């Protein structure tokens, strides 16, 4: 089982080389990432976007564009649609977000006629390598679904389980995060948590073990769970952390990134090919991490 971001990259380097299409590649951090990843032998890249700007930025950062295929597409909407077409045609196996607004990119990705949607619930799972912990945590959903209902939460969990399996964890523990570890009708997230646990027990939600409701400390700390007198055998052992909504998930994700200096890699599930959704503010290393995760997902065929 992979336990660090480095181990994800090392594993990806042993797998068949994939081609990544970068949507709106006119961005210095994106270009630094693809240059380093290609030099490492991690992947090949097709750079889609305003080729004049791409060349100008490449000159500024002294990057040789000779190893890359460039596809000219002016404007965010055109760049997103063109990148999706490149992936849909099979010329690339993975899509990496460059300097493009997420809403614009996903309008193209989810286009019913020309996009990459496969009919499943589309959700985002981010893998977190947090300093001080000897395991990887998966957090979902921190980028896509604003207020998931119970059935959508079930689908989000199933998507995250596929990512966990690609990382070598065949039986991940899902911790359903809430405001409290007690079911309270006034706290809908705790009610959903109890329902997800019951779905898991009755084999409606399979491929994992589900515990909750958990406050964050009870999900990741056995000591905290014992101190509170919890008898749940899964308490403190979560591998996958299910956020109650997008606001909680996104704030938690960015808190880990900026306060704890966590290393991360995120992938969108429910699409025909891995879609790597990064913040435009992310470093080039975070983008390399995402490419490595995308290669693992592509190799495992876990997008279906």
């Amino acid at each position: 089982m992979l336990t660090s971001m480095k181990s994800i990259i090392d594993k990806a380097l042993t797998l068949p080389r994939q081609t990544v299409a970068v949507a709106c590649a006119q961005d210095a951090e994106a270009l630094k990432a693809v240059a380093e990843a290609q030099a490492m032998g991690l992947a090949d890249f097709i750079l889609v976007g305003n080729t004049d700007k791409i060349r100008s930025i490449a000159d500024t950062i002294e990057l040789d564009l000779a190893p890359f295929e460039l596809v000219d597409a002016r404007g965010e909407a055109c760049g997103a649609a063109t990148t999706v077409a490149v992936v849909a045609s099979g010329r690339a196996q993975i899509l990496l977000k460059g300097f493009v607004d997420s809403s614009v990119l996903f309008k193209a990705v989810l286009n019913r006629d020309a996009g990459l949607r496969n009919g499943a619930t589309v959700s985002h799972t981010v893998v977190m390598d947090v300093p001080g912990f000897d395991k990887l945590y998966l957090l979902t959903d921190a980028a896509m679904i604003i207020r998931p209902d119970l059935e959508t939460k079930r689908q989000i969990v199933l998507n995250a389980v596929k990512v966990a399996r690609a990382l070598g964890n065949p039986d991940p523990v899902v911790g359903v995060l809430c405001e409290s570890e007690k079911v309270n009708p006034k706290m809908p997230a705790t009610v959903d948590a109890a329902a997800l646990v019951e779905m898991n027990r009755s084999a409606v939600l399979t491929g994992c073990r589900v515990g909750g409701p958990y406050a964050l400390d009870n999900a990741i700390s056995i000591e905290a769970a014992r101190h509170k007198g919890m008898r749940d055998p899964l308490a403190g052992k979560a591998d996958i952390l299910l956020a109650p909504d997008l606001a909680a998930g996104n704030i938690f994700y960015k808190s880990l990134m900026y306060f704890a200096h966590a290393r991360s890699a995120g992938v969108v599930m429910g699409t025909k090919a891995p879609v790597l959704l990064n913040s435009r503010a992310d470093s080039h290393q975070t983008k390399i991490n995402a490419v490595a995760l995308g290669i693992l997902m592509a190799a495992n065929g876990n997008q279906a």
Side-chain angles (χ1 to χ4, degrees), residues 62-112:
E62 299 181 339
L63 169 64
D64 180 9
L65 290 174
F68 307 105
E69 178 183 348
L70 273 63
V71 176
D72 192 48
R74 305 299 171 106
E76 287 192 353
C78 181
T82 302
T83 310
V84 167
V86 167
V87 176
S89 71
R91 291 170 58 196
Q93 295 76 48
I94 299 167
L95 189 155
L96 173 66
K97 176 188 170 186
F99 200 77
V100 55
D101 188 86
S102 295
S103 63
V104 175
L105 178 61
F106 274 90
K107 184 176 181 179
V109 168
L110 302 179
N111 183 292
R112 293 190 180 277

Side-chain angles (χ1 to χ4, degrees), residues 108-180:
V109 168
L110 302 179
N111 183 292
R112 293 190 180 277
D113 297 321
L116 299 174
R117 192 165 191 167
N118 67 6
T121 295
V122 177
S123 63
H124 183 259
T125 299
V126 61
V127 181
M128 306 297 301
D129 182 353
V130 185
F133 291 83
D134 60 358
K135 64 185 288 184
L136 293 167
Y137 286 99
L138 279 64
L139 172 63
T140 190
D141 184 319
M144 294 289 298
I145 302 176
I146 298 173
R147 284 183 291 274
D149 59 19
L150 179 61
E151 174 56 24
T152 303
K153 288 180 179 179
R154 186 181 77 87
Q155 294 291 334
I156 290 172
V157 169
L158 291 173
N159 282 344
V161 166
K162 294 174 184 177
V163 180
R165 288 180 176 172
L167 299 177
N169 187 345
D171 187 29
V173 174
V174 179
V176 185
L177 299 182
C178 301
E179 310 94 317
S180 168

Side-chain angles (χ1 to χ4, degrees), residues 164-222:
R165 288 180 176 172
L167 299 177
N169 187 345
D171 187 29
V173 174
V174 179
V176 185
L177 299 182
C178 301
E179 310 94 317
S180 168
E181 67 275 8
K182 296 179 181 179
V183 177
N184 183 337
K186 295 182 179 179
M187 300 178 180
T190 67
V191 177
D192 282 356
L196 290 167
V197 170
E198 182 55 36
M199 286 181 177
N200 186 233
R201 289 173 179 165
S202 59
V204 177
L205 174 53
T206 59
C208 58
R209 291 172 288 160
V210 180
Y214 294 146
L216 177 61
D217 53 351
N218 308 324
I220 64 171
S221 170
I222 293 174

